[in-house]
Structures are given as structure tokens and as C-alpha cells.
Amino acid sequence: MKNEILSHLPPEHPWGQSLYWYEELPSTNALAKDMAREGAPHGTVLLADSQSAGRGRLGRSFCSPPGSGIYLSVILRPNCPPDELMHLTCAVGVAACDAIADAAGFRPGIKWINDLVADGKKLGGILTELVMEGGIVRSAVVGIGINCCQMPRDFPPELQNIACSLFSVTGQTVDRAKLAAALIGHLEIMSRQLQERSAIMARYRRDCVTLGKEITVIAGDLRRNGRALAVEEDGGLLVQFEDGTVATVQSGEVSVRGLFGYT
Ligand code: BTN
């Protein structure tokens, strides 16, 4: 698989030298964080055919069966304070949409803040984890999971109504190596353009399907209905709640569901 992925990248691609492929891992993000602490360079890419303990946001798991998806983590070394990286997950979301558009021929949407969606269902997700040292981000591990080959019945029962795959959306088998290479290509470009926050956020807002929607904001056991008004420059979601109050919610604290469905 590694050679297949490399065959879709230009031979001189800066991240081609530090690409690792595994048949199975607990979690590519967990291993990438360990490797980052041990000094692995910017652009180290880890891919696994399956994960036994794939991780999602807010302590959730990410279903990662073999032969079915893309499970990729990349180590970035931005060397800046964390408040300059608030838009990183948004930038990764746009890069993932670019890659899927190139490799699968359609552009998914993004459900705030980090879910890739198509046909009102979850196609994949992004988990960004920072490794800090003395108030500086020593590294950011960006993890992307994309469901590629599953049929609806392949998902566990609790996901069958809310998950989809590139195959279930397009009816076509996607070349996973080509998609992995497209992700690596777009993530590398994104990592060089991270300073262009306004341009990135403008693109994110175009892809974000949550904007203008009736949503439920979920924080632990608390659920509040409202309308998503805007995505701010740091990725925060401006919400008008049913009682008329307007507040910004941050991705570390809450998740969002559509009032009338998953998105
Ligand atoms: C989410 O849906 O909340 C985020 C899912 C992120 C899954 C990817 S798969 C590759 C990387 N390794 C992990 O353990 N998680 C991320």
C-alpha cells in the first residue's frame, strides 16, 4: 500500500520520505503523538489499514475496520502559540474536502466543527491534538478518518442511520491509495498556508453545512436549541438560542446536531 500511495505523489514530495504504513494500530493519532514527543519531523505521516482503538473528538471512538477506510495522522511542527492555531481543524477540514473532491469526484460538506458529511450523514472526522511545551505548540497531530468502502449494513447498528461512506454516496469504489495521496498533497499545501487565516476561514464557511441551520448544542447532559449564525475567525460557532441570547460556542466544549437530523 505504501508504494501505491507514493506512486500517486510526485517523487520529490517533501512528506514522501517520512510515510509509514501499518496493517493495524490501536490509533494512528496515539502513535503519532508518541513519535512527535520523540522528535519525529514535521510531515511525518502514519496510515493504518485498521485501528483497534480509533479515537474521535470528546472522548468518542472512531470505527476503523480493515479494508474499509483511510485512517491517517500527520505530525505538524508549527512552533507557535496555541491561539494562532485555533483555525487548524477548519483548515484540515477544507484540505480533506479538496482531497475527496480530487479522488472521489464530489465535494463533501463539513458539519461544525470537524465532521465530513454527505447526504446528511457522517463520512469521516478530524481529530487535532496538540503536544505543548512551555506554552508553545511543539507539534500538532492531525488525524483524519474517512469511511471509504462500507455498505450501510457494514456499520454497527448505532451508526447505520448517521454514517455513510464514499461508496455508499457515489456507488463507485474509491482508490484508497489515490485518496491517501490526495490527502497528503492537500495537507502539505495547507501546512504552508496556515498563516492565511481569513482566506482559510472563508473557504471553511463555504463548506460548512451547519451555517444557518437549526441546531442542538450538546454539552454533557445539557441540550439547547438554536440557530447557527456564523463561524468566527477562530472557528467558534456563533449561535442564537431559543431564548434570544447569542453566544459563541467552542469546539472543545460542545457538539452540535441538526434539529431535524444528524447534520
Ligand atoms: C471524530 O469523528 O470526532 C474524529 C475522528 C478522527 C478519526 C481519525 S482516524 C485517524 C486518526 N487516529 C485516531 O485514532 N483518530 C483519528
Side-chain angles (χ1 to χ4, degrees), residues 17-35:
Q17 299 301 313
S18 48
L19 174 65
Y20 298 86
W21 167 262
Y22 303 87
E23 286 301 321
E24 186 184 303
L25 280 181
S27 154
T28 55
N29 259 38
L31 180 58
K33 281 173 79 177
D34 288 346
M35 289 170 69

Side-chain angles (χ1 to χ4, degrees), residues 189-253:
I189 296 168
M190 176 280 297
S191 75
R192 284 187 279 112
Q193 296 178 343
L194 258 182
Q195 286 79 5
E196 294 164 29
R197 185 193 293 225
S198 301
I200 290 168
M201 292 311 296
R203 296 192 66 205
Y204 178 85
R205 290 180 192 105
R206 282 204 289 273
D207 285 328
C208 182
V209 300
T210 308
L211 275 175
K213 284 248 172 77
E214 302 290 330
I215 55 167
T216 303
V217 176
I218 306 164
D221 292 337
L222 256 176
R223 300 171 83 92
R224 289 179 81 191
N225 295 339
R227 177 185 288 273
L229 297 180
V231 177
E232 296 177 342
E233 286 292 278
D234 65 356
L237 185 68
L238 190 71
V239 181
Q240 175 152 43
F241 290 102
E242 280 175 338
D243 62 5
T245 56
V246 174
T248 303
V249 296
Q250 297 295 340
S251 61
E253 303 150 13

Side-chain angles (χ1 to χ4, degrees), residues 27-29 51 54-57 62 71-73 114-115 122 125-127 143-145:
S27 154
T28 55
N29 259 38
Q51 299 183 117
R55 308 203 296 224
R57 218 165 59 84
F62 188 79
Y71 316 114
L72 176 151
S73 298
N114 65 338
D115 281 356
K122 177 161 173 166
I126 295 158
L127 176 65
I144 302 177

Side-chain angles (χ1 to χ4, degrees), residues 98-208:
D98 289 341
I100 292 169
D102 282 358
F106 82 100
R107 191 169 187 89
I110 303 173
K111 181 173 87 77
W112 186 88
I113 184 166
N114 65 338
D115 281 356
L116 302 168
V117 295
D119 292 348
K121 294 181 176 173
K122 177 161 173 166
L123 180 65
I126 295 158
L127 176 65
T128 307
E129 299 184 270
L130 302 183
V131 179
M132 303 287 300
E133 211 179 275
I136 292 284
V137 181
R138 277 290 159 232
S139 56
V141 168
V142 167
I144 302 177
I146 300 172
N147 304 323
C148 293
C149 311
Q150 292 97 330
M151 313 263 264
R153 64 166 183 270
D154 296 331
F155 290 107
E158 68 277 13
L159 296 183
Q160 277 179 9
N161 289 328
I162 57 170
C164 66
S165 71
L166 294 174
F167 180 76
S168 73
V169 172
T170 63
Q172 312 271 326
T173 305
V174 69
D175 180 339
R176 286 190 300 151
K178 190 173 159 194
L179 176 56
L183 277 169
I184 292 166
H186 283 287
L187 288 168
E188 195 275 328
I189 296 168
M190 176 280 297
S191 75
R192 284 187 279 112
Q193 296 178 343
L194 258 182
Q195 286 79 5
E196 294 164 29
R197 185 193 293 225
S198 301
I200 290 168
M201 292 311 296
R203 296 192 66 205
Y204 178 85
R205 290 180 192 105
R206 282 204 289 273
D207 285 328
C208 182

